[in-house]
Every structure is written in C-alpha cells, then in structure tokens.
Amino acid sequence: MLLSYLKIAWKVLLRRKFFTAISLFGISFTLMILLVLVAVVDHFNGAHAPEKRIDQMAFVNSIRERFKDGGSNNMPVSAYFIDKYVRTLKTPELVGLTSITNTATSFANNQTLTLDVRYTDANFWRLMDFEFLDGRPFSAAETDQRSRVCVINQHTARTYFGTEKGVAGRTLEIGPYTYRITGVVPDVPVMRLYSSSDVWVPYTLSNEMFGDQRLEGAFIAIMLAPSASQVPAMRQEFEQMAKRIPVPDPQRFDKLSVHADPALASVVRQLTSNQEKESDGMELFLGVCGGLALLFMLLPALNLVNLNVTRILERSSEIGVRKAFGASRRVLVGQFLVENIVLALLGGMLGLGLAAVVLYILNESQFIAYSHFGLSWSAFAVGLGLTLVFGLMSGVYPAWKMARLNPVTALRGSGAGPR
C-alpha cells in the first residue's frame, strides 16, 4: 500500500511541476536559513578549540558606574579588579584574563600587515585548549618580568616566515618593538570573542596596565568552574561579592554594576543593556528567538496549505473519477498526506544541500576571518522533523476537504459540496 502511495505521489509531483517547484523552494529555503543560522551560533557559542570548555566558563566583560547626575560609564575591568576581587573567589578552578583585541602594524619581508593583538596572562593558556604547532605559551615568569615575548597564529607565521615550523625563538617586529616568538597556534575564528587573535602578548606590556586601584580598565576576566553544573554557583558567588564592592568616588557615582555571565549571555546582556539588572536577559532572548523560529517555519506551512487547497480544486475531476470507481476517503487522504511527506523530504534534502553550499562559500571566501562553519546534523534532524510535522499539518485540512468532495460535483470540475 505504501509503495503504491509513493509511486502515485511521485507521478503527481512530476506532473504538477509548478506547484512542486514553489513548494520545494519554500521548504528548502526555510531549512537552509535555519541550518546556516545554527552553524553561525554554534561557531560562536559551541565547544570548539580553543574554547572547548566554554560551558564551564563565565566572563566578566565590563563594569558599569552610574553617575549621580545621570548617564553611566561602561568599560572593561582592570587587572587590579581581577586580582583583588575575582581571583579571590573560592568556586572557580582557575581565573585568567584577556583583553579586547587591539590593532598594530608589523613589518617583515618588505611588507606591512595589520595584526590583531590580544593581551593575556599565563593562566589564559591553561584556560584555553590551544594546540601548539610549534613552541610553547609564554610563562607566568615571563609575564611578571614584562618580557617582550609573544605567541602568533598560523597565518602570521606563514605570512612572515613561510612556515609554522621552526618559528619559535625567532623575532617579530610589532609597532616600534621587537618580540621573541615562543609559540605558534592554529588560526582562531574571529567569532571566538575571547580567544581569537593574530598575536598574543603578556598583559603586563599593555599601555592600559594601570598601576593604581581603578576598577575600570581594558581586560575581561575569565572564570573556569570545576564542571558545567557548578557554573551557576560560581556566578552566584561572584554576584554576592560584587554587591560588597564599594562605589568608587561616591561624590560622582551612586551605583556600581558588574556581572559574570556565560559567553552568549554576556553578549545578550550588552545588546539588551541589562548591565544594572541581575537577569542576563537570556530567557527573553531565547523566547524571542524561539518565537521567531516557529513563525519562520510556520510561514511556508501556511503557504503549503493555500497551495494544497488550490491544487485540490484543480484536481477535483480526478478525485471525482477515483471516488466514482470506489476509492475510499482513507485511500484519498493517505495519498494526499504521502504526497506532502515526499515533498517535505525532498525539500529537506535540497535545503541540506543548499546550506552546505552556502557554508562552503562562507568558509572559502573568509568573509569572517579564519571561519570554518560546519553543518549541525542535530539541527538538520530537528529542522527536517519540523518540516515533516508542518508538512503533515499543512496537508490535514486539504486532505479532509478532498476526501469529502461530492463525486458528481467533482466530475463537473467544482470543488464545492462535501458528501
């Protein structure tokens, strides 16, 4: 029975090429967009090298000081803040720091290159799981001694030295200074906001390394919990500590706000301006994203309903003939639902292929530096499942309407008159 349904469905879809093309376009385009968006989000927030333990991490991106006369001062935190308040917490297994990336000019082999430079401490290399292609990370002693050392990425090594092997120990000019290279690591996509760079140097060499007790600075604190399940406890301990930090310069400021958030939540907090609230805004953000995704998937389903109803009216004569020769409602409904399932599966396969092509083009074009987007098979399975569900849903009403057509009126070419 199923095989006969499939044969009939295939013949119908081939015969009605315009309807099939429009439906396939709607399904495949929707699934393609879904897969590409999931790949982008996973690229940023997924557990990929060197941020393999990102689900165990929380980040202190900024500190917000509210002026008494209105307005606020929102900046990254200082090394003093991290040393005095963050490193003293008991829950984190390890605390490190990194800066936002800065740009610098380098000269070598008669060429000039603009490099992204990130300032870090020695713990950064213990927090992040870098694979060293050559050499090693710089040490805590080199950081404390303010040694002019650096770690460079694979692209920089190949640009200046033609290889990433045997580069450790050589020197590289960055701006007015010469740095000794201690190691080479693979390129990190720029969407890894806390680890990506071309060059990493000790934070003690930063011009923003203040010697005073200012809370604001140019750094981001990274806290690593012993396990992902302990991240909430780590965040809670930080929040309790933050409430005890005295407001600097009470004559100017009346409130201090600082939070420790997971990677995606830290970005959402910045985008939604939730710095003064305990909630990071993730519940609202995920709710809105889920609603938009559902709406995005519903639109082609509604379109399919309209197309299916129109197709029924066009096929009323065929339906009338089949009913006149004894086709039952069950057979007709089954046939129509199988047609929708076949269409959904074809659209799903086409959407998968289109997504693979789009991601390949993004990777090859390097529109996002050092990016390497990959298809999420779990997202494809969910997307295809939703496509099948919506395909069935979009076929229920048309199938019911088709099965109730009056054979006499159907043979005359009219879709009216249920039996």
Side-chain angles (χ1 to χ4, degrees), residues 152-371:
I152 63 175
N153 68 351
Q154 188 175 14
H155 174 76
T156 303
R158 287 179 173 175
T159 299
Y160 288 110
F161 306 108
T163 179
E164 65 269 15
K165 300 295 184 181
V167 173
R170 303 177 72 171
T171 59
L172 180 69
E173 290 186 11
I174 305 176
Y177 303 107
T178 299
Y179 294 81
R180 177 173 54 85
I181 300 168
T182 65
V184 180
V185 296
D187 300 328
V188 182
V190 295
M191 292 186 70
R192 311 276 157 80
L193 298 183
Y194 301 104
S195 58
S196 174
S197 191
D198 296 312
V199 181
W200 295 261
V201 300
Y203 79 100
T204 47
L205 299 177
S206 170
N207 293 329
E208 305 295 333
M209 177 61 188
F210 304 128
D212 55 29
Q213 298 183 357
R214 277 183 281 182
L215 301 182
E216 73 277 5
F219 301 104
I220 297 168
I222 307 174
M223 299 187 295
L224 178 72
S227 65
S229 62
Q230 291 180 270
V231 170
M234 182 172 68
R235 295 179 69 189
Q236 183 63 32
E237 183 187 9
F238 181 90
E239 294 292 335
Q240 294 300 319
M241 176 275 297
K243 293 176 181 177
R244 299 192 297 269
I245 301 175
V247 176
D249 195 355
Q251 300 298 321
R252 297 176 60 205
F253 304 105
D254 65 357
K255 186 175 182 179
L256 186 72
S257 302
V258 59
H259 304 279
D261 299 311
L264 183 58
S266 65
V267 175
V268 171
R269 187 185 292 277
Q270 297 289 330
L271 293 176
T272 56
S273 300
N274 267 359
Q275 286 90 340
E276 294 188 11
K277 301 178 182 178
E278 287 193 13
S279 172
D280 53 28
M282 279 299 293
E283 290 185 5
L284 177 62
F285 175 77
L286 292 176
V288 170
C289 289
L292 290 175
L294 185 61
L295 179 63
F296 190 66
M297 294 295 289
L298 266 174
L299 289 176
L302 294 175
N303 184 48
L304 273 178
V305 170
N306 292 329
L307 287 172
N308 287 335
V309 171
T310 302
R311 182 160 59 116
I312 283 176
L313 298 178
E314 292 178 352
R315 296 172 64 187
S316 57
S317 297
E318 171 195 336
I319 295 165
V321 171
R322 296 198 64 191
K323 293 194 76 172
F325 279 88
S328 66
R329 291 180 181 178
R330 180 180 176 183
V331 169
L332 292 172
V333 170
Q335 175 192 330
F336 199 79
L337 291 180
V338 168
E339 287 178 19
N340 274 34
I341 292 174
V342 171
L343 195 61
L345 289 174
L346 289 175
M349 294 299 107
L350 184 57
L352 177 64
L354 289 174
V357 170
V358 170
L359 294 177
Y360 174 79
I361 292 172
L362 283 174
N363 290 335
E364 290 299 309
S365 67
Q366 285 298 290
F367 177 73
I368 299 175
Y370 310 135
S371 64

Side-chain angles (χ1 to χ4, degrees), residues 30-42 297 348 352 355 359 374-387:
T30 301
L31 191 57
M32 178 198 72
I33 295 296
L34 178 66
L35 289 174
V36 170
L37 288 177
V38 168
V40 171
V41 172
D42 179 69
M297 294 295 289
L352 177 64
L359 294 177
L375 281 169
S376 170
W377 291 104
S378 59
F380 172 69
V382 171
L384 186 59
L386 287 173
T387 300

